[in-house]
Amino acid sequence: QKEVEQNSGPLSVPEGAIASLNCTYSDRVSQSFFWYRQYSGKSPELIMSIYSNGDKEDGRFTAQLNKASQYVSLLIRDSQPSDSATYLCAVKSGGSNYKLTFGKGTLLTVNP
Amino acid sequence: DAEITQSPRHKITETGRQVTLACHQTWNHNNMFWYRQDLGHGLRLIHYSYGVQDTNKGEVSDGYSVSRSNTEDLPLTLESAASSQTSVYFCASSGPGGRDGELFFGEGSRLTVL
């Protein structure tokens, strides 16, 4: 059973701070990693993807990957109240016919 | 605009009844998925399909079935609903043209089994 682990939170940060979300995975051959954001009562949406070791930046979001440690993280800089949501880590298996295994998600609250 | 729709959005049923949740997408995606989401468990894969006539079991498939007779639809059937199947169900699809690893989710169907 491939597992994806996340701290459930809640993680609470003040507005303007950096929020750090963490994820570990069990399948060593996994190559593709994703972060989805889910607002309360809504469906998940993809916000970041990362495939290589190191950092990938997109606006206020930075994804970090360390395959040796089987660890993925998401940093949100200058956190805003609108960033308050559950963040789901997902790991891809398969090629063009793929499926995603999701972690349980971390609830982030950004306080004004 | 292309979209993915689920129906019904809310349903209350009784233990032992058969229930079907509909999922329809207009992206012409080959890959379609059903997940359930429960507090403390996150999103768990129930069934998935890579194309017409193809179906596969996910990690929590017991008590559920799907069929894929065309590209657009993947209905999820609960043969005999149980209280443990009370959950929010999400249908999703993926295919060429989207970002790698991007699933497009429907709005969800909240099912309550009494």
Side-chain angles (χ1 to χ4, degrees):
Chain A
Q1 181 82 352
K2 298 176 179 130
E3 296 185 348
V4 179
E5 301 286 342
Q6 295 181 252
N7 289 330
S8 60
L11 173 65
S12 183
V13 300
E15 184 174 355
I18 296 175
S20 177
L21 305 162
N22 304 315
C23 172
T24 59
Y25 59 95
S26 64
D27 188 1
R28 282 200 167 273
V29 302
S30 298
Q31 295 294 317
S32 304
F33 309 89
F34 308 92
W35 285 97
Y36 279 72
R37 178 177 60 199
Q38 185 177 23
Y39 291 114
S40 180
K42 302 296 184 182
S43 55
E45 58 178 338
L46 179 66
I47 55 170
M48 285 288 288
S49 58
I50 187 165
Y51 314 107
S52 304
N53 281 329
D55 296 358
K56 178 182 178 181
E57 187 175 314
D58 184 0
R60 295 186 296 111
F61 298 96
T62 299
Q64 299 175 317
L65 174 60
N66 183 326
K67 290 185 179 179
S69 300
Q70 296 177 241
Y71 177 89
V72 191
S73 66
L74 179 70
L75 301 179
I76 306 174
R77 291 183 301 281
D78 188 25
S79 295
Q80 302 297 310
S82 58
D83 295 324
S84 297
T86 296
Y87 289 81
L88 303 167
C89 176
V91 177
K92 175 183 171 182
S93 58
S96 56
N97 290 343
Y98 66 84
K99 57 179 178 176
L100 296 186
T101 300
F102 287 85
K104 295 179 181 179
T106 299
L107 176 61
L108 171 67
T109 300
V110 180
N111 302 304
Chain B
D1 284 344
E3 60 182 4
I4 180 166
T5 55
Q6 294 183 231
S7 62
R9 296 289 313 283
H10 301 273
K11 185 170 181 68
I12 300 174
T13 191
E14 295 177 341
T15 301
R17 300 250 183 179
Q18 183 181 80
V19 176
T20 296
L21 305 179
C23 176
H24 179 81
Q25 52 97 3
T26 59
W27 280 294
N28 203 34
H29 285 164
N30 285 328
N31 303 341
M32 295 185 71
F33 309 85
W34 274 105
Y35 288 88
R36 61 177 289 175
Q37 188 171 39
D38 306 284
L39 206 60
H41 290 280
L43 282 166
R44 292 182 290 174
L45 185 61
I46 306 171
H47 280 287
Y48 55 103
S49 168
Y50 293 136
V52 176
Q53 302 302 328
D54 176 74
T55 61
N56 306 278
K57 294 182 179 180
E59 62 179 299
V60 290
S61 61
D62 287 349
Y64 303 94
S65 64
V66 293
S67 61
R68 187 89 181 270
S69 58
N70 58 52
T71 301
E72 296 80 16
D73 299 289
L74 187 70
L76 177 71
T77 297
L78 288 68
E79 301 293 344
S80 177
S83 58
S84 60
Q85 295 175 310
T86 292
S87 186
V88 178
Y89 292 86
F90 286 101
C91 180
S93 71
S94 71
R99 291 176 286 173
D100 182 32
E102 183 168 28
L103 298 187
F104 294 86
F105 283 86
E107 293 182 318
S109 294
R110 182 177 294 276
L111 176 67
T112 302
V113 183
L114 301 176

